[in-house]
Amino acid sequence: MTQPTIWALVDCNNFYVSCERLFNPKLEGRPVVVLSNNDGCVVARSNEAKALGVRMGQPWFELEPSAAQLGIVALSSNYTLYGDLSNRVMALLATLAPRQEVYSIDECFLDFSLFPPETRAAHGKRIRREIRRQLGLPVCVGIGPTKTLAKLANACAKKGWAGEGGVCDLSTWGNAARDALLNTIPVDEVWGVGKRQARQLAAVGITTAGALAAADPTWVRRRFSVVLARTAQELRGEPALEWAEAPIVQKQLVVSRSFGTRVTSLETLGSALTAFATAASEKLRAHGWLAREVGCFLETNPFDPGHYYHPFSSEPLPLPCNDAITLAKTANRIAARLFRPGYRYKKAGVVLFELIPNGTWQPDLFTAELLPRWAERQQTMAALDAINRRFGRNTVTLAAAHQRGWQMRQTRRSPNYTTDWRALPVV
Amino acid sequence: MLIRAPRDTLLTPLAAAAGIVEKRQTKPILGCFLLERSDDGLTVTATDLEAQIVVRQPLGELAGENGACAVPAKKLLDILKSLPDGAEVQLLAEENTLKVTSGRSRFTLHTLPAHDFPRLTPPSEGDQLTLTQHTLRRLVALTAFAMAQQDVRYYLNGLFFHLHDQNLHVVATDGHRLAHVEEAMPEFRDEREAILPRKTVLELQRLLSDSDQPVAITIAERQVVFTTGAVQFTSKIIEGKFPDYRRVIPMNHPVRIVFDRVELLRALQRVAVLAEDKLRPIKLTFETGLVRISGHNVEREEAVEEIEIHYEGAPLEIGFNVSYLIDVLTALTNEVIHIQLKDSMAAALITTPDDEHFHYVVMPMRL
């Protein structure tokens, strides 16, 4: 048997806010929020904003009246900036461990198996120091014998529940001590347990991570799901998730945006949907998933004069896939069916259904001839991801996504300090 | 209606028809047998609206009175089953009841009017072919296990009968694997096809014995009728287009490996113990002179089996749902089987040298 993997999860603290502060030090110490596309609602908060009781997802129009009085600074999201800084963080982290899995824009798993147990926490601190020194961003590090425990250790480090100096190493804890800690952590802090599931668990008396770990595995599987049974297994320190494998907690994946201006042409809609399908395919690949079905919706503004038109349709895919080309083509084909001229579209989206892990799956006999092509596409997408990771997001994309005319409203956006020569900060 | 007969004379036709009665039916009459007595004897009919079984039973010399009624199937069957062997039974239908008496036992069951019973009218014409029970049973046994179950592609939830090129092709597939067998029908020149519903196929397997008694099959536009001895089994056909099975049966795979069927089956069954419960993945690794069969579960428990084979090509790794292999090796009875392969992505072909008319195609799994 090979040696079991020790996982470290490195996560940037309040990533979007930290990115903004990097180029605007005046924001230090002030309550800062970052707003979603079209300045809709809060998607990131500084610790000061959290202390004021600003909620995640809170609509900006609720906050705006009192914002000035409370000293809250609101910024439009600048994904170009965050994406570029994310790439730099990930590139640096890749040099600090033998293996890396980028899980989202601000977090990644690292392989700590080769570090002797007593040095792991120190290495975590070195990582924190290096990222602070080279990029000026604060991160926390959680270390554990499973991905789920590493994720939980990270939350402990961030919230000060365990560990010290922004690093928490659960891999060296004995089972008894770990269980005692888990008994103090609310179950909705566990990776893969959503708010709704936490309520269902509370209804049967499981309110802490420890209680979930201790629950009878067969019962958890029958009463809830295999996914939750695997999560519970991971909490007990028994690995259930591999590299590039995340618990599938959602049944569908949606990428949708409201447009900056109303869209009336199918061509512009198609361009937007290509961009959404690309983003959705990137998410699938980052999570190691495939989708079996693609859906697409269009929407006019219900408050605009005239008929409110909001059609939706979906198509099963001949092979489950995660490649941008197939997803974009399918979404465009559906959109062409749904599109009615004469409407002013406000929003559109791509929805992926029937997500399965891209590990072990059963291809179909009657679409077998598509499989070699499918495997080629997997390689193309891996190459594309590698380029975009190295040279920045959207370095290589599908040409069809470049027809403009649908981009978002971003009135409070900071300049693209790191990716646009014209936005270089002047000293 | 009045019937007097030994228990076993009544039990035989009722048991033959019982399989088709739905346990949870929406209408009470679908839970009934239709009993009809005429000068020729007793006729028992059961239906689920998709299929219908009619069994005729001569009643011999005993006196009685002609008539008909619909009576709760399970209750009547259970009563007759629990009466002692050789008991004499009397069934007397009155207004809304059936009185069952035997010795000192008396039962009164509610009945429904016979004219309310929904009969399927068997087609008056269609293509006719005749096989022995033994042959039909073999054709079904070699294929039926590969039928889909509650698939959205409703035309896969059944068994495909295809009369083509003076052969009867019987095919089943769930999209992941496909079983095909053909039987020569030299006197049959027309083209004809029908998809039998899954439930019909399972019922057919129950009704067929290993005997040389003939089964007449009538294939009409919307129905198929199987007639053998006293039993007439009518079933609706699934409307839809069955996929072109010939397209997916590979003909030119470069690698052919010879296995002892039972040896391979036993090894697979042992590895299957530790194959993960949902997709049941296992891996076959072919090396010179050897195949290694391995599987593991989510708890990371592992099973490895090795079988010596004649293989000289480059090493080849291929994954399968172990159930798909076990199914076919269990359905076959031959001593030797062949597995033909191309690569880890192409469908594998399983055949037996004893029967060139049998093909089983199974799609590998991505591991």
Side-chain angles (χ1 to χ4, degrees), chain A residues 361-377:
Chain A
W361 60 276
Q362 175 71 60
D364 200 274
L365 204 48
F366 295 96
T367 51
E369 70 277 10
L370 303 174
L371 210 53
R373 179 75 181 277
W374 179 94
E376 270 171 35
R377 280 281 165 79

Side-chain angles (χ1 to χ4, degrees), chain A residues 52-67:
Chain A
L52 284 175
V54 177
R55 285 174 286 115
M56 196 66 171
Q58 190 166 6
W60 172 235
F61 71 81
E62 265 183 42
L63 279 174
E64 199 169 8
S66 55

Side-chain angles (χ1 to χ4, degrees), chain A residues 373-413:
Chain A
R373 179 75 181 277
W374 179 94
E376 270 171 35
R377 280 281 165 79
Q378 290 275 307
Q379 289 179 355
T380 312
M381 288 298 132
L384 197 101
D385 287 341
I387 294 170
N388 285 339
R389 238 189 335 266
R390 177 145 178 223
F391 298 106
R393 199 155 176 257
N394 295 334
T395 304
V396 182
T397 60
L398 303 183
H402 288 280
Q403 149 101 34
R404 295 293 162 174
W406 54 271
Q407 269 74 7
M408 296 163 296
R409 201 160 52 223
Q410 294 175 315
T411 50
R412 298 162 173 270
R413 208 193 69 193

Side-chain angles (χ1 to χ4, degrees), chain A residues 73-89:
Chain A
V73 182
L75 298 162
S76 300
S77 38
N78 181 348
Y79 289 111
T80 314
L81 174 67
Y82 312 150
D84 179 62
L85 283 172
S86 167
N87 290 331
R88 291 168 193 237
V89 170

Side-chain angles (χ1 to χ4, degrees), chain B residues 67-85:
Chain B
C69 69
V71 58
K74 185 168 182 337
K75 290 174 195 160
L76 181 60
L77 194 64
D78 286 352
I79 289 168
L80 291 175
K81 272 188 194 160
S82 47
L83 287 172
D85 286 353

Side-chain angles (χ1 to χ4, degrees), chain A residues 224-239:
Chain A
F224 292 93
S225 65
V226 183
V227 175
L228 193 67
R230 292 175 87 186
T231 297
Q233 183 190 336
E234 288 243 318
L235 285 176
R236 290 193 294 276
E238 304 155 16

Side-chain angles (χ1 to χ4, degrees), chain B residues 130-175:
Chain B
T130 305
L131 298 168
T132 63
Q133 286 210 25
H134 166 81
T135 303
L136 183 57
R137 190 180 148 108
R138 186 179 68 89
L139 298 178
V140 174
L142 283 175
T143 49
F145 62 88
M147 290 187 292
Q149 209 168 348
Q150 297 182 331
D151 200 294
V152 287
R153 295 165 291 182
Y154 58 91
Y155 48 84
L156 297 185
N157 302 322
L159 194 60
F160 186 51
F161 277 54
H162 189 198
L163 284 156
H164 171 72
D165 278 353
Q166 293 175 287
N167 281 303
L168 168 65
H169 300 261
V170 180
V171 192
T173 179
D174 60 7

